[in-house]
Amino acid sequence: MARQVVFLTLYFLLLPLCVSAQRNFTAVSYNCENLFDVRHDSLKNDEEFLPDGERAWTAARYRQKLNDVGRVILQCGGERENWTLPDLVGLVEVENDSVMLSLTRRSMLRGAHYNYVMTSSPDARGIDVALMYNPFRFRLIHSEQIVITPLPRQHPTRNILYSTLLSAYGDTLHAFVVHAPSRSGGQHLTEDYRLFVVDKLLETIDSIRSAAPMPKILLMGDFNDYSHNKSVKKIIASGMEEASSDAVGKYHPQEVVGTYYFRRQWESLDHVFVSSAVTPLRCFIYDADWLLDTNDAGNHTPRRTYLGTHYHGGVSDHLPLVLHFHFPETNTSLLP
């Protein structure tokens, strides 16, 4: 453990000096499954995630989850001499700024020095999306929320996070993190709501494209739809490539063929898309054994934090997507 700490410390100290030797980037998209703190927000329905709530969500369980999420992110960077800190991390189902501050400054991620931006949405339970970025590799230029006004008879949902970042080589990247409306109530009854969110997203993408030729765009998150559904097909029809379409598990590629396990089969509600100016090199699902359970049929499933309201001790009911990607070389300027 001490050797790991020394290695990480040296890595973060030397990273600014060796950044010019690295031309590829890594992005992680991860639904954290209800990453709540233990304090009540009087404006939100978060009572079940309190120490005296239905789920008995305690400070100890919260700290454990923060460290587990941090461990997942670090391990998504690879192994041994091939390890590198993920450059961008899109997170779904994080409660608030306090959670993100604790994750980046007080968990095992604290040595990574990640910066972050996040939304403040009208979601009734108070969950939001966030983007963490490595400040040695990217500088934030601008960030905003794309506000989603609820459709009639639909619950408020999460706003879309849109950030513009400058890479260490002078490339401008437009990054989006999405958590589309859930399927609660039925896929068909909620499909129009997800299509509405995608339309709002594509309006912004069209504006980006009209302002600059061949923009570099990265789109990730939980879309609550599969690749064959209308909302995902609409994104692809707009000219975005689904980089995660063939993603399988890194360690169990024959079995783990999705990020989410539902009705005894793996599917992917999580997706990563890139524009034509971004070259995807490899996309996979991070499925380390400690993130998995084995069900009564002998199949692997995500090791969830809760089974119903029973604390199970896992990290999430989703597995993260990891994308290695490349920008065409433009210049070699380091961030100031």
Side-chain angles (χ1 to χ4, degrees), residues 83-98:
W83 181 84
T84 183
L85 183 71
D87 300 293
L88 299 166
V89 182
L91 295 178
V92 170
E93 292 198 14
V94 290
E95 185 184 13
N96 52 36
D97 186 78
S98 173

Side-chain angles (χ1 to χ4, degrees), residues 30 32 35-37 62-74 89-118 129-133 315:
Y30 193 27
C32 302
L35 184 51
F36 280 80
D37 62 23
Y62 174 49
R63 287 193 298 270
Q64 180 65 47
K65 176 132 181 169
L66 286 172
N67 279 317
D68 283 346
V69 170
R71 180 183 173 192
V72 171
I73 292 168
L74 290 174
V89 182
L91 295 178
V92 170
E93 292 198 14
V94 290
E95 185 184 13
N96 52 36
D97 186 78
S98 173
V99 167
M100 289 305 302
L101 185 65
S102 294
L103 178 64
T104 56
R105 299 294 181 265
R106 299 179 188 129
S107 77
M108 67 184 303
L109 274 183
R110 59 188 177 274
H113 304 293
Y114 275 118
N115 290 335
Y116 67 88
V117 288
M118 71 179 304
V129 302
L131 177 70
M132 293 166 38
Y133 60 94
V315 188

Side-chain angles (χ1 to χ4, degrees), residues 188-207:
H188 293 294
L189 292 176
T190 56
E191 184 172 56
D192 285 347
Y193 202 6
R194 289 187 293 280
L195 285 168
F196 175 72
V197 169
V198 165
D199 285 340
K200 295 288 288 185
L201 168 70
L202 294 180
E203 285 177 11
T204 302
I205 289 177
D206 286 343
S207 297

Side-chain angles (χ1 to χ4, degrees), residues 13-301:
L13 288 173
L14 295 175
L15 183 57
L17 302 177
C18 61
V19 67
S20 59
Q22 303 177 48
R23 298 232 164 253
N24 298 332
F25 298 90
T26 300
V28 176
S29 181
Y30 193 27
N31 182 323
C32 302
E33 188 197 352
N34 297 317
L35 184 51
F36 280 80
D37 62 23
V38 294
R39 292 178 291 185
H40 177 48
D41 183 342
S42 61
L43 301 178
K44 301 295 182 180
N45 300 330
D46 63 352
E47 288 85 358
E48 63 180 315
F49 284 96
L50 295 174
D52 58 353
E54 184 180 19
R55 296 175 186 258
W57 185 237
T58 65
R61 291 175 176 181
Y62 174 49
R63 287 193 298 270
Q64 180 65 47
K65 176 132 181 169
L66 286 172
N67 279 317
D68 283 346
V69 170
R71 180 183 173 192
V72 171
I73 292 168
L74 290 174
Q75 290 185 354
C76 283
E79 298 171 346
R80 299 181 180 87
E81 66 275 4
N82 295 320
W83 181 84
T84 183
L85 183 71
D87 300 293
L88 299 166
V89 182
L91 295 178
V92 170
E93 292 198 14
V94 290
E95 185 184 13
N96 52 36
D97 186 78
S98 173
V99 167
M100 289 305 302
L101 185 65
S102 294
L103 178 64
T104 56
R105 299 294 181 265
R106 299 179 188 129
S107 77
M108 67 184 303
L109 274 183
R110 59 188 177 274
H113 304 293
Y114 275 118
N115 290 335
Y116 67 88
V117 288
M118 71 179 304
T119 56
S120 179
S121 302
D123 178 85
R125 294 197 307 131
I127 55 174
D128 276 292
V129 302
L131 177 70
M132 293 166 38
Y133 60 94
N134 179 349
F136 300 122
R137 302 273 275 164
F138 282 98
R139 183 178 66 197
L140 183 68
I141 300 174
H142 173 74
S143 185
E144 65 183 76
Q145 301 181 72
I146 301 174
V147 176
I148 304 299
T149 303
L151 293 180
R153 295 179 297 280
Q154 297 286 2
H155 296 295
T157 190
R158 282 72 54 175
N159 293 334
I160 299 170
L161 179 61
Y162 166 42
S163 304
T164 308
L165 304 111
L166 183 70
S167 82
Y169 313 108
D171 300 285
T172 299
L173 176 67
H174 303 272
F176 295 84
V177 184
V178 175
H179 187 189
S182 78
R183 294 177 161 227
S184 178
Q187 189 270 333
H188 293 294
L189 292 176
T190 56
E191 184 172 56
D192 285 347
Y193 202 6
R194 289 187 293 280
L195 285 168
F196 175 72
V197 169
V198 165
D199 285 340
K200 295 288 288 185
L201 168 70
L202 294 180
E203 285 177 11
T204 302
I205 289 177
D206 286 343
S207 297
I208 294 168
R209 285 171 168 160
S210 65
M214 298 290 287
K216 298 173 176 66
I217 302 172
L218 173 67
L219 168 58
M220 56 185 166
D222 181 348
F223 291 80
N224 270 309
D225 267 334
Y226 305 122
S227 295
H228 62 267
N229 291 131
K230 292 178 182 178
S231 67
V232 176
K233 285 184 174 181
K234 195 164 193 175
I235 294 171
I236 296 170
S238 75
M240 298 290 290
E241 176 185 353
E242 186 183 357
S244 57
S245 60
D246 297 320
V248 295
K250 180 178 181 179
Y251 300 107
H252 307 90
Q254 300 302 317
E255 182 182 354
V256 178
V257 294
T259 59
Y260 187 73
Y261 194 83
F262 182 64
R263 293 180 178 172
R264 293 187 175 272
Q265 66 179 4
W266 286 97
E267 295 279 4
S268 285
L269 297 172
D270 309 279
H271 304 274
V272 178
F273 303 89
V274 295
S275 64
S276 59
V278 178
T279 304
L281 301 173
R282 183 191 179 198
C283 188
F284 61 88
I285 300 163
Y286 188 72
D287 60 340
D289 285 341
W290 71 280
L291 297 177
L292 301 173
D293 275 331
T294 302
N295 65 12
D296 54 7
N299 299 319
H300 283 118
T301 64

